[in-house]
Amino acid sequence: MSDQLIRAITADGMVKAAAVSTKYLTERARQIHRTLPVATAALGRLLAAGSMLGNALKGDGASVTLQVRGGGPLGSLLVVSDNEGNVRGTVGNPAVDLPLREDGKLNVGAAVGVDGTLTVIRDLNMKEPYVGSVALLSGEIADDLASYFVESEQIPTAVGLGVLVDRDQSVKVAGGYIIQLLPGAGEDIISRVEGGVLSAGSVTKMLSENDDPEAMLRRLLADFDVEILERTPVEYRCDCSRERMERALISMGPQELRSLIDEQGEAELCCRFCDQKQYFSRQQLEELLLKMRKKEN
């Protein structure tokens, strides 16, 4: 089984939409970062959002970065997606544990906080990336992303994101949807979209009944003829490598690297996205330093 992302448009050309199931990639993130349930839910929601935004990008090598800093106990959340929708992410304090809300749901809003911003960075391989930022509305992430689309891109948008954590703290279901009105959509279209979203219920409810994102999208847009444009498998994917970590050591500069060799005699670098470790011996660090000095001369 794999996670799937669906992209669609209504036959009348008035509404475009994406939906994704992310159970497996969210579970992978949980295992890597050893998150407790509220952190799993927050990071999982952002991973689903990042996957849909990334998949919408055109051009090989393009990427989108979502950063949430809300001042809550979770600290900052960061998700990066490639242009296929494969994602990786981190959360500042994965071991945060908060009481459930009165309705029995995980209190993601309190864990994230509302004293901060959601930032979206689209890197399209041009000179400068596109950066947009909005103040957080609720810290629940879906509301905040919908607010971003309206404020920064002037696109009326409905966003649903959800993660259901099982009793053993594993991920039971996860995913989300983004529905956007296209130019020319009138009040009738808006009402039909709103009606569909209200009657469909929550993301976790829909995915618990049927984990196919196409079924979720057709339920949300039940009042429209929906044309599926693409179906793409997505996964938790980190692009770290030994070469990348070597470049991180080189970026320290000769003096800093010399100090590291003299003081520690070795180095072990850990990727913050996948926890992969790379060890560099004294000899390997000396060789890196020699390479740097040769380039300088």
Side-chain angles (χ1 to χ4, degrees), residues 110-179:
V112 171
V114 291
D115 185 19
T117 55
L118 163 67
T119 301
V120 179
I121 303 166
R122 286 190 175 91
D123 187 347
L124 306 175
N125 291 321
M126 296 186 200
K127 281 187 179 178
E128 296 291 330
Y130 169 81
V131 182
S133 189
V134 292
L136 292 173
L137 274 183
S138 68
E140 295 282 343
I141 299 174
D143 299 339
D144 306 303
L145 189 58
S147 168
Y148 162 80
F149 279 116
V150 172
E151 286 190 33
S152 290
E153 302 189 5
Q154 290 75 53
I155 304 172
T157 304
V159 180
L161 302 167
V163 176
L164 184 61
V165 178
D166 215 339
R167 289 182 181 182
D168 64 358
Q169 297 193 356
S170 67
V171 177
K172 197 168 185 179
V173 297
Y177 62 82
I178 296 175
I179 299 172

Short mmCIF file of all heavy atoms in Angstrom, two decimals, residues 110-179:
data_model
loop_
_atom_site.label_atom_id
_atom_site.label_comp_id
_atom_site.label_asym_id
_atom_site.label_seq_id
_atom_site.Cartn_x
_atom_site.Cartn_y
_atom_site.Cartn_z
N ALA A 110 -3.65 24.61 20.54
CA ALA A 110 -2.92 25.03 21.74
C ALA A 110 -1.46 24.62 21.66
O ALA A 110 -0.57 25.34 22.14
CB ALA A 110 -3.57 24.42 22.99
N ALA A 111 -1.18 23.46 21.06
CA ALA A 111 0.20 22.98 20.94
C ALA A 111 1.01 23.84 19.97
O ALA A 111 2.17 24.15 20.21
CB ALA A 111 0.21 21.53 20.48
N VAL A 112 0.37 24.26 18.87
CA VAL A 112 1.04 25.10 17.87
C VAL A 112 1.11 26.55 18.34
O VAL A 112 2.14 27.22 18.24
CB VAL A 112 0.31 25.03 16.51
CG1 VAL A 112 0.86 26.07 15.53
CG2 VAL A 112 0.44 23.62 15.92
N GLY A 113 -0.01 27.05 18.90
CA GLY A 113 -0.09 28.45 19.32
C GLY A 113 -0.60 29.33 18.19
O GLY A 113 -0.68 28.90 17.03
N VAL A 114 -0.96 30.56 18.54
CA VAL A 114 -1.47 31.50 17.52
C VAL A 114 -0.65 32.79 17.48
O VAL A 114 -0.97 33.71 16.73
CB VAL A 114 -2.96 31.86 17.77
CG1 VAL A 114 -3.83 30.67 17.51
CG2 VAL A 114 -3.18 32.40 19.17
N ASP A 115 0.41 32.84 18.25
CA ASP A 115 1.23 34.05 18.30
C ASP A 115 2.40 33.91 17.33
O ASP A 115 3.55 33.70 17.72
CB ASP A 115 1.74 34.26 19.74
CG ASP A 115 2.51 35.57 19.88
OD1 ASP A 115 2.33 36.45 19.00
OD2 ASP A 115 3.29 35.70 20.83
N GLY A 116 2.06 33.96 16.03
CA GLY A 116 3.12 33.78 15.05
C GLY A 116 2.58 33.73 13.65
O GLY A 116 1.52 34.25 13.34
N THR A 117 3.31 33.02 12.78
CA THR A 117 3.01 33.06 11.35
C THR A 117 3.10 31.69 10.67
O THR A 117 3.76 30.78 11.16
CB THR A 117 4.02 33.99 10.61
OG1 THR A 117 5.35 33.54 10.91
CG2 THR A 117 3.85 35.43 11.03
N LEU A 118 2.40 31.61 9.55
CA LEU A 118 2.57 30.52 8.59
C LEU A 118 3.29 31.13 7.39
O LEU A 118 2.83 32.13 6.83
CB LEU A 118 1.21 29.96 8.15
CG LEU A 118 1.22 29.12 6.86
CD1 LEU A 118 1.99 27.82 7.04
CD2 LEU A 118 -0.20 28.83 6.39
N THR A 119 4.42 30.54 7.03
CA THR A 119 5.20 31.04 5.90
C THR A 119 5.27 29.98 4.81
O THR A 119 5.53 28.80 5.11
CB THR A 119 6.63 31.43 6.34
OG1 THR A 119 6.54 32.44 7.34
CG2 THR A 119 7.45 31.97 5.17
N VAL A 120 5.03 30.39 3.58
CA VAL A 120 5.10 29.49 2.42
C VAL A 120 6.20 29.99 1.50
O VAL A 120 6.19 31.15 1.08
CB VAL A 120 3.76 29.44 1.66
CG1 VAL A 120 3.86 28.52 0.44
CG2 VAL A 120 2.63 28.98 2.58
N ILE A 121 7.17 29.11 1.22
CA ILE A 121 8.28 29.47 0.33
C ILE A 121 8.24 28.55 -0.89
O ILE A 121 8.40 27.34 -0.76
CB ILE A 121 9.65 29.32 1.05
CG1 ILE A 121 9.68 30.16 2.32
CG2 ILE A 121 10.79 29.72 0.12
CD1 ILE A 121 10.81 29.83 3.27
N ARG A 122 8.02 29.14 -2.05
CA ARG A 122 8.01 28.35 -3.29
C ARG A 122 9.32 28.62 -4.03
O ARG A 122 9.58 29.75 -4.47
CB ARG A 122 6.83 28.74 -4.17
CG ARG A 122 5.49 28.23 -3.68
CD ARG A 122 4.43 28.45 -4.75
NE ARG A 122 3.14 27.88 -4.39
CZ ARG A 122 2.19 28.53 -3.75
NH1 ARG A 122 2.39 29.79 -3.40
NH2 ARG A 122 1.04 27.95 -3.46
N ASP A 123 10.13 27.59 -4.20
CA ASP A 123 11.39 27.70 -4.93
C ASP A 123 11.20 27.09 -6.31
O ASP A 123 11.10 25.88 -6.46
CB ASP A 123 12.50 26.96 -4.17
CG ASP A 123 13.87 27.19 -4.80
OD1 ASP A 123 13.93 27.71 -5.94
OD2 ASP A 123 14.89 26.87 -4.15
N LEU A 124 11.12 27.96 -7.31
CA LEU A 124 10.84 27.52 -8.68
C LEU A 124 12.11 27.51 -9.53
O LEU A 124 12.07 27.58 -10.76
CB LEU A 124 9.78 28.41 -9.33
CG LEU A 124 8.47 28.55 -8.54
CD1 LEU A 124 7.54 29.55 -9.19
CD2 LEU A 124 7.79 27.20 -8.39
N ASN A 125 13.27 27.47 -8.85
CA ASN A 125 14.58 27.48 -9.52
C ASN A 125 14.82 28.78 -10.29
O ASN A 125 15.49 28.79 -11.32
CB ASN A 125 14.72 26.29 -10.47
CG ASN A 125 14.84 24.98 -9.72
OD1 ASN A 125 15.50 24.92 -8.68
ND2 ASN A 125 14.19 23.95 -10.22
N MET A 126 14.25 29.87 -9.78
CA MET A 126 14.55 31.18 -10.35
C MET A 126 15.56 31.87 -9.41
O MET A 126 16.03 31.26 -8.46
CB MET A 126 13.27 31.99 -10.49
CG MET A 126 12.28 31.36 -11.46
SD MET A 126 10.85 32.42 -11.72
CE MET A 126 9.66 31.24 -12.34
N LYS A 127 15.84 33.13 -9.69
CA LYS A 127 16.83 33.82 -8.86
C LYS A 127 16.41 33.88 -7.40
O LYS A 127 17.19 33.62 -6.50
CB LYS A 127 17.06 35.25 -9.39
CG LYS A 127 17.97 35.30 -10.60
CD LYS A 127 18.29 36.74 -10.97
CE LYS A 127 19.24 36.76 -12.18
NZ LYS A 127 19.55 38.13 -12.61
N GLU A 128 15.16 34.24 -7.18
CA GLU A 128 14.65 34.36 -5.81
C GLU A 128 13.40 33.52 -5.63
O GLU A 128 12.54 33.49 -6.51
CB GLU A 128 14.30 35.84 -5.51
CG GLU A 128 15.48 36.80 -5.52
CD GLU A 128 16.43 36.57 -4.37
OE1 GLU A 128 15.97 36.12 -3.30
OE2 GLU A 128 17.64 36.82 -4.54
N PRO A 129 13.27 32.84 -4.49
CA PRO A 129 12.03 32.09 -4.25
C PRO A 129 10.89 33.05 -3.93
O PRO A 129 11.12 34.19 -3.50
CB PRO A 129 12.38 31.23 -3.03
CG PRO A 129 13.47 31.97 -2.32
CD PRO A 129 14.24 32.70 -3.39
N TYR A 130 9.65 32.58 -4.12
CA TYR A 130 8.48 33.35 -3.75
C TYR A 130 8.17 33.06 -2.29
O TYR A 130 8.02 31.90 -1.89
CB TYR A 130 7.28 32.98 -4.63
CG TYR A 130 5.98 33.56 -4.13
CD1 TYR A 130 5.64 34.89 -4.39
CD2 TYR A 130 5.12 32.80 -3.34
CE1 TYR A 130 4.47 35.43 -3.90
CE2 TYR A 130 3.94 33.34 -2.84
CZ TYR A 130 3.62 34.66 -3.13
OH TYR A 130 2.46 35.20 -2.62
N VAL A 131 8.07 34.11 -1.48
CA VAL A 131 7.82 33.94 -0.04
C VAL A 131 6.55 34.70 0.34
O VAL A 131 6.39 35.88 0.05
CB VAL A 131 9.00 34.48 0.81
CG1 VAL A 131 8.72 34.25 2.30
CG2 VAL A 131 10.30 33.80 0.40
N GLY A 132 5.62 33.99 0.97
CA GLY A 132 4.40 34.62 1.48
C GLY A 132 4.19 34.22 2.92
O GLY A 132 4.52 33.10 3.32
N SER A 133 3.66 35.13 3.72
CA SER A 133 3.50 34.85 5.15
C SER A 133 2.21 35.49 5.66
O SER A 133 1.86 36.59 5.26
CB SER A 133 4.71 35.40 5.92
OG SER A 133 4.70 34.96 7.25
N VAL A 134 1.51 34.75 6.55
CA VAL A 134 0.30 35.31 7.17
C VAL A 134 0.32 35.02 8.66
O VAL A 134 0.92 34.04 9.11
CB VAL A 134 -1.00 34.72 6.56
CG1 VAL A 134 -1.20 35.16 5.14
CG2 VAL A 134 -1.05 33.21 6.70
N ALA A 135 -0.36 35.87 9.41
CA ALA A 135 -0.52 35.63 10.85
C ALA A 135 -1.40 34.41 11.05
O ALA A 135 -2.35 34.18 10.30
CB ALA A 135 -1.14 36.85 11.52
N LEU A 136 -1.09 33.62 12.06
CA LEU A 136 -1.89 32.42 12.34
C LEU A 136 -3.27 32.82 12.86
O LEU A 136 -3.40 33.74 13.66
CB LEU A 136 -1.18 31.55 13.38
CG LEU A 136 0.11 30.87 12.91
CD1 LEU A 136 0.80 30.18 14.07
CD2 LEU A 136 -0.16 29.88 11.79
N LEU A 137 -4.28 32.08 12.40
CA LEU A 137 -5.65 32.32 12.86
C LEU A 137 -6.00 31.46 14.07
O LEU A 137 -6.50 31.94 15.07
CB LEU A 137 -6.65 31.96 11.74
CG LEU A 137 -6.99 33.00 10.69
CD1 LEU A 137 -8.03 32.41 9.75
CD2 LEU A 137 -7.52 34.27 11.34
N SER A 138 -5.72 30.15 13.95
CA SER A 138 -6.14 29.22 15.00
C SER A 138 -5.03 28.27 15.44
O SER A 138 -5.15 27.63 16.48
CB SER A 138 -7.32 28.38 14.50
OG SER A 138 -6.88 27.51 13.46
N GLY A 139 -3.97 28.15 14.65
CA GLY A 139 -2.94 27.17 14.95
C GLY A 139 -3.34 25.75 14.58
O GLY A 139 -2.58 24.81 14.78
N GLU A 140 -4.57 25.59 14.04
CA GLU A 140 -5.04 24.26 13.65
C GLU A 140 -4.53 23.86 12.26
O GLU A 140 -4.76 22.75 11.79
CB GLU A 140 -6.57 24.21 13.68
CG GLU A 140 -7.18 24.40 15.06
CD GLU A 140 -7.09 23.14 15.92
OE1 GLU A 140 -6.87 22.05 15.37
OE2 GLU A 140 -7.27 23.25 17.14
N ILE A 141 -3.86 24.77 11.59
CA ILE A 141 -3.15 24.62 10.32
C ILE A 141 -4.06 24.71 9.09
O ILE A 141 -3.78 25.47 8.17
CB ILE A 141 -2.27 23.35 10.28
CG1 ILE A 141 -1.21 23.47 11.40
CG2 ILE A 141 -1.58 23.18 8.92
CD1 ILE A 141 -0.34 22.27 11.62
N ALA A 142 -5.18 23.98 9.04
CA ALA A 142 -6.07 24.06 7.86
C ALA A 142 -6.64 25.47 7.72
O ALA A 142 -6.62 26.06 6.63
CB ALA A 142 -7.19 23.04 7.96
N ASP A 143 -7.16 26.04 8.82
CA ASP A 143 -7.70 27.41 8.79
C ASP A 143 -6.61 28.40 8.38
O ASP A 143 -6.85 29.35 7.62
CB ASP A 143 -8.18 27.84 10.19
CG ASP A 143 -9.30 26.96 10.72
OD1 ASP A 143 -9.95 26.31 9.90
OD2 ASP A 143 -9.50 26.95 11.94
N ASP A 144 -5.41 28.17 8.89
CA ASP A 144 -4.31 29.09 8.63
C ASP A 144 -3.89 29.05 7.17
O ASP A 144 -3.58 30.08 6.57
CB ASP A 144 -3.13 28.74 9.54
CG ASP A 144 -3.53 28.69 11.00
OD1 ASP A 144 -4.05 29.69 11.51
OD2 ASP A 144 -3.36 27.63 11.65
N LEU A 145 -3.90 27.85 6.58
CA LEU A 145 -3.55 27.72 5.18
C LEU A 145 -4.61 28.34 4.27
O LEU A 145 -4.29 29.01 3.29
CB LEU A 145 -3.35 26.24 4.82
CG LEU A 145 -2.77 25.96 3.43
CD1 LEU A 145 -1.42 26.62 3.24
CD2 LEU A 145 -2.66 24.45 3.20
N ALA A 146 -5.89 28.16 4.63
CA ALA A 146 -6.97 28.79 3.87
C ALA A 146 -6.83 30.31 3.91
O ALA A 146 -7.01 31.00 2.90
CB ALA A 146 -8.33 28.36 4.42
N SER A 147 -6.47 30.83 5.08
CA SER A 147 -6.26 32.26 5.25
C SER A 147 -5.09 32.74 4.38
O SER A 147 -5.15 33.81 3.76
CB SER A 147 -5.98 32.57 6.73
OG SER A 147 -5.50 33.88 6.89
N TYR A 148 -4.05 31.93 4.30
CA TYR A 148 -2.89 32.28 3.46
C TYR A 148 -3.32 32.44 2.00
O TYR A 148 -2.94 33.40 1.32
CB TYR A 148 -1.80 31.21 3.57
CG TYR A 148 -0.81 31.27 2.44
CD1 TYR A 148 0.23 32.20 2.46
CD2 TYR A 148 -0.94 30.44 1.32
CE1 TYR A 148 1.11 32.31 1.39
CE2 TYR A 148 -0.06 30.54 0.26
CZ TYR A 148 0.96 31.47 0.30
OH TYR A 148 1.83 31.58 -0.76
N PHE A 149 -4.10 31.48 1.50
CA PHE A 149 -4.51 31.54 0.09
C PHE A 149 -5.35 32.79 -0.20
O PHE A 149 -5.20 33.43 -1.24
CB PHE A 149 -5.30 30.29 -0.29
CG PHE A 149 -4.44 29.11 -0.61
CD1 PHE A 149 -4.48 27.97 0.18
CD2 PHE A 149 -3.59 29.13 -1.70
CE1 PHE A 149 -3.68 26.87 -0.12
CE2 PHE A 149 -2.78 28.04 -2.01
CZ PHE A 149 -2.83 26.91 -1.21
N VAL A 150 -6.22 33.14 0.73
CA VAL A 150 -7.08 34.32 0.53
C VAL A 150 -6.26 35.60 0.62
O VAL A 150 -6.37 36.49 -0.23
CB VAL A 150 -8.24 34.34 1.55
CG1 VAL A 150 -9.00 35.65 1.48
CG2 VAL A 150 -9.19 33.17 1.29
N GLU A 151 -5.41 35.70 1.64
CA GLU A 151 -4.66 36.95 1.87
C GLU A 151 -3.50 37.14 0.90
O GLU A 151 -3.30 38.22 0.37
CB GLU A 151 -4.13 36.98 3.31
CG GLU A 151 -5.22 37.24 4.35
CD GLU A 151 -4.64 37.51 5.72
OE1 GLU A 151 -3.54 38.09 5.80
OE2 GLU A 151 -5.28 37.13 6.71
N SER A 152 -2.71 36.06 0.69
CA SER A 152 -1.49 36.21 -0.12
C SER A 152 -1.71 35.99 -1.60
O SER A 152 -1.01 36.54 -2.43
CB SER A 152 -0.42 35.23 0.37
OG SER A 152 0.06 35.62 1.63
N GLU A 153 -2.70 35.14 -1.96
CA GLU A 153 -2.88 34.81 -3.37
C GLU A 153 -4.26 35.17 -3.90
O GLU A 153 -4.55 34.94 -5.08
CB GLU A 153 -2.57 33.32 -3.58
CG GLU A 153 -1.15 32.98 -3.13
CD GLU A 153 -0.72 31.58 -3.52
OE1 GLU A 153 -1.49 30.89 -4.23
OE2 GLU A 153 0.38 31.17 -3.12
N GLN A 154 -5.12 35.72 -3.02
CA GLN A 154 -6.47 36.14 -3.41
C GLN A 154 -7.26 35.01 -4.09
O GLN A 154 -7.99 35.24 -5.06
CB GLN A 154 -6.43 37.37 -4.33
CG GLN A 154 -5.99 38.65 -3.64
CD GLN A 154 -4.49 38.69 -3.37
OE1 GLN A 154 -3.70 38.49 -4.28
NE2 GLN A 154 -4.09 38.95 -2.13
N ILE A 155 -7.11 33.79 -3.56
CA ILE A 155 -7.84 32.64 -4.10
C ILE A 155 -8.76 32.09 -3.01
O ILE A 155 -8.28 31.59 -1.99
CB ILE A 155 -6.89 31.51 -4.56
CG1 ILE A 155 -5.88 32.03 -5.60
CG2 ILE A 155 -7.68 30.34 -5.14
CD1 ILE A 155 -4.79 31.03 -5.94
N PRO A 156 -10.10 32.20 -3.19
CA PRO A 156 -11.01 31.60 -2.21
C PRO A 156 -10.76 30.08 -2.13
O PRO A 156 -10.80 29.39 -3.15
CB PRO A 156 -12.40 31.89 -2.78
CG PRO A 156 -12.18 33.04 -3.73
CD PRO A 156 -10.81 32.85 -4.30
N THR A 157 -10.50 29.60 -0.93
CA THR A 157 -10.01 28.22 -0.76
C THR A 157 -10.64 27.56 0.46
O THR A 157 -10.75 28.18 1.52
CB THR A 157 -8.47 28.22 -0.60
OG1 THR A 157 -7.88 28.87 -1.72
CG2 THR A 157 -7.93 26.80 -0.50
N ALA A 158 -11.02 26.29 0.30
CA ALA A 158 -11.43 25.46 1.44
C ALA A 158 -10.33 24.43 1.68
O ALA A 158 -9.90 23.76 0.74
CB ALA A 158 -12.75 24.76 1.14
N VAL A 159 -9.88 24.33 2.92
CA VAL A 159 -8.81 23.39 3.26
C VAL A 159 -9.27 22.50 4.40
O VAL A 159 -9.80 22.98 5.40
CB VAL A 159 -7.52 24.14 3.69
CG1 VAL A 159 -6.41 23.13 4.03
CG2 VAL A 159 -7.04 25.10 2.61
N GLY A 160 -9.08 21.21 4.25
CA GLY A 160 -9.34 20.26 5.32
C GLY A 160 -8.10 19.40 5.52
O GLY A 160 -7.52 18.90 4.55
N LEU A 161 -7.66 19.24 6.77
CA LEU A 161 -6.50 18.42 7.09
C LEU A 161 -6.83 17.61 8.34
O LEU A 161 -7.48 18.13 9.25
CB LEU A 161 -5.26 19.29 7.36
CG LEU A 161 -4.82 20.23 6.23
CD1 LEU A 161 -3.81 21.25 6.75
CD2 LEU A 161 -4.21 19.43 5.07
N GLY A 162 -6.37 16.38 8.39
CA GLY A 162 -6.67 15.58 9.57
C GLY A 162 -5.72 14.42 9.77
O GLY A 162 -5.21 13.84 8.81
N VAL A 163 -5.49 14.10 11.05
CA VAL A 163 -4.70 12.93 11.43
C VAL A 163 -5.41 12.26 12.59
O VAL A 163 -5.72 12.91 13.60
CB VAL A 163 -3.26 13.32 11.88
CG1 VAL A 163 -2.50 12.08 12.35
CG2 VAL A 163 -2.51 14.03 10.75
N LEU A 164 -5.70 10.97 12.45
CA LEU A 164 -6.30 10.21 13.53
C LEU A 164 -5.24 9.27 14.10
O LEU A 164 -4.70 8.43 13.39
CB LEU A 164 -7.50 9.40 13.02
CG LEU A 164 -8.29 8.62 14.07
CD1 LEU A 164 -8.89 9.55 15.12
CD2 LEU A 164 -9.39 7.79 13.40
N VAL A 165 -4.94 9.47 15.40
CA VAL A 165 -3.91 8.66 16.06
C VAL A 165 -4.59 7.51 16.80
O VAL A 165 -5.56 7.72 17.54
CB VAL A 165 -3.08 9.53 17.03
CG1 VAL A 165 -2.03 8.69 17.76
CG2 VAL A 165 -2.41 10.68 16.27
N ASP A 166 -4.07 6.31 16.61
CA ASP A 166 -4.66 5.12 17.24
C ASP A 166 -4.25 5.02 18.71
O ASP A 166 -3.42 5.78 19.19
CB ASP A 166 -4.20 3.87 16.47
CG ASP A 166 -5.28 2.79 16.42
OD1 ASP A 166 -6.19 2.84 17.28
OD2 ASP A 166 -5.21 1.93 15.52
N ARG A 167 -4.82 4.04 19.41
CA ARG A 167 -4.55 3.89 20.84
C ARG A 167 -3.08 3.58 21.13
O ARG A 167 -2.57 3.92 22.19
CB ARG A 167 -5.44 2.79 21.43
CG ARG A 167 -6.90 3.21 21.52
CD ARG A 167 -7.76 2.16 22.13
NE ARG A 167 -9.16 2.58 22.19
CZ ARG A 167 -10.12 1.85 22.72
NH1 ARG A 167 -9.85 0.65 23.23
NH2 ARG A 167 -11.36 2.29 22.73
N ASP A 168 -2.41 2.90 20.18
CA ASP A 168 -0.99 2.58 20.37
C ASP A 168 -0.08 3.71 19.88
O ASP A 168 1.12 3.54 19.75
CB ASP A 168 -0.63 1.27 19.69
CG ASP A 168 -0.80 1.34 18.17
OD1 ASP A 168 -1.24 2.40 17.65
OD2 ASP A 168 -0.50 0.34 17.49
N GLN A 169 -0.66 4.87 19.58
CA GLN A 169 0.01 6.09 19.13
C GLN A 169 0.45 6.04 17.67
O GLN A 169 1.04 6.99 17.16
CB GLN A 169 1.20 6.46 20.03
CG GLN A 169 0.78 6.76 21.46
CD GLN A 169 1.87 7.42 22.29
OE1 GLN A 169 3.00 7.60 21.84
NE2 GLN A 169 1.54 7.78 23.51
N SER A 170 0.15 4.93 16.97
CA SER A 170 0.44 4.89 15.53
C SER A 170 -0.63 5.68 14.78
O SER A 170 -1.66 6.05 15.34
CB SER A 170 0.48 3.44 15.04
OG SER A 170 -0.82 2.87 15.12
N VAL A 171 -0.36 5.94 13.51
CA VAL A 171 -1.27 6.74 12.69
C VAL A 171 -2.33 5.83 12.07
O VAL A 171 -2.01 4.89 11.34
CB VAL A 171 -0.51 7.50 11.59
CG1 VAL A 171 -1.47 8.28 10.69
CG2 VAL A 171 0.50 8.45 12.23
N LYS A 172 -3.58 6.10 12.37
CA LYS A 172 -4.69 5.29 11.84
C LYS A 172 -5.10 5.76 10.45
O LYS A 172 -5.23 4.97 9.53
CB LYS A 172 -5.87 5.34 12.80
CG LYS A 172 -6.90 4.25 12.59
CD LYS A 172 -7.88 4.17 13.75
CE LYS A 172 -8.82 3.00 13.58
NZ LYS A 172 -9.78 2.91 14.71
N VAL A 173 -5.36 7.05 10.31
CA VAL A 173 -5.60 7.67 9.00
C VAL A 173 -5.01 9.08 9.01
O VAL A 173 -4.88 9.69 10.07
CB VAL A 173 -7.10 7.76 8.60
CG1 VAL A 173 -7.72 6.38 8.47
CG2 VAL A 173 -7.89 8.61 9.58
N ALA A 174 -4.68 9.57 7.83
CA ALA A 174 -4.18 10.95 7.71
C ALA A 174 -4.35 11.41 6.28
O ALA A 174 -4.34 10.60 5.34
CB ALA A 174 -2.71 11.03 8.11
N GLY A 175 -4.52 12.71 6.11
CA GLY A 175 -4.65 13.25 4.76
C GLY A 175 -5.30 14.62 4.76
O GLY A 175 -5.36 15.30 5.80
N GLY A 176 -5.79 15.01 3.59
CA GLY A 176 -6.41 16.33 3.51
C GLY A 176 -6.87 16.66 2.11
O GLY A 176 -6.73 15.86 1.17
N TYR A 177 -7.44 17.86 1.98
CA TYR A 177 -7.89 18.34 0.67
C TYR A 177 -7.72 19.85 0.59
O TYR A 177 -7.68 20.55 1.61
CB TYR A 177 -9.35 17.97 0.41
CG TYR A 177 -10.35 18.58 1.39
CD1 TYR A 177 -10.81 19.89 1.23
CD2 TYR A 177 -10.83 17.84 2.46
CE1 TYR A 177 -11.71 20.44 2.12
CE2 TYR A 177 -11.73 18.38 3.36
CZ TYR A 177 -12.17 19.69 3.19
OH TYR A 177 -13.05 20.24 4.09
N ILE A 178 -7.58 20.33 -0.62
CA ILE A 178 -7.57 21.77 -0.92
C ILE A 178 -8.52 21.97 -2.10
O ILE A 178 -8.32 21.37 -3.17
CB ILE A 178 -6.16 22.28 -1.27
CG1 ILE A 178 -5.22 22.14 -0.06
CG2 ILE A 178 -6.21 23.75 -1.73
CD1 ILE A 178 -3.77 22.50 -0.36
N ILE A 179 -9.55 22.77 -1.91
CA ILE A 179 -10.52 23.08 -2.97
C ILE A 179 -10.47 24.57 -3.25
O ILE A 179 -10.61 25.38 -2.32
CB ILE A 179 -11.95 22.66 -2.55
CG1 ILE A 179 -12.00 21.15 -2.28
CG2 ILE A 179 -12.96 23.05 -3.63
CD1 ILE A 179 -13.32 20.69 -1.68
#
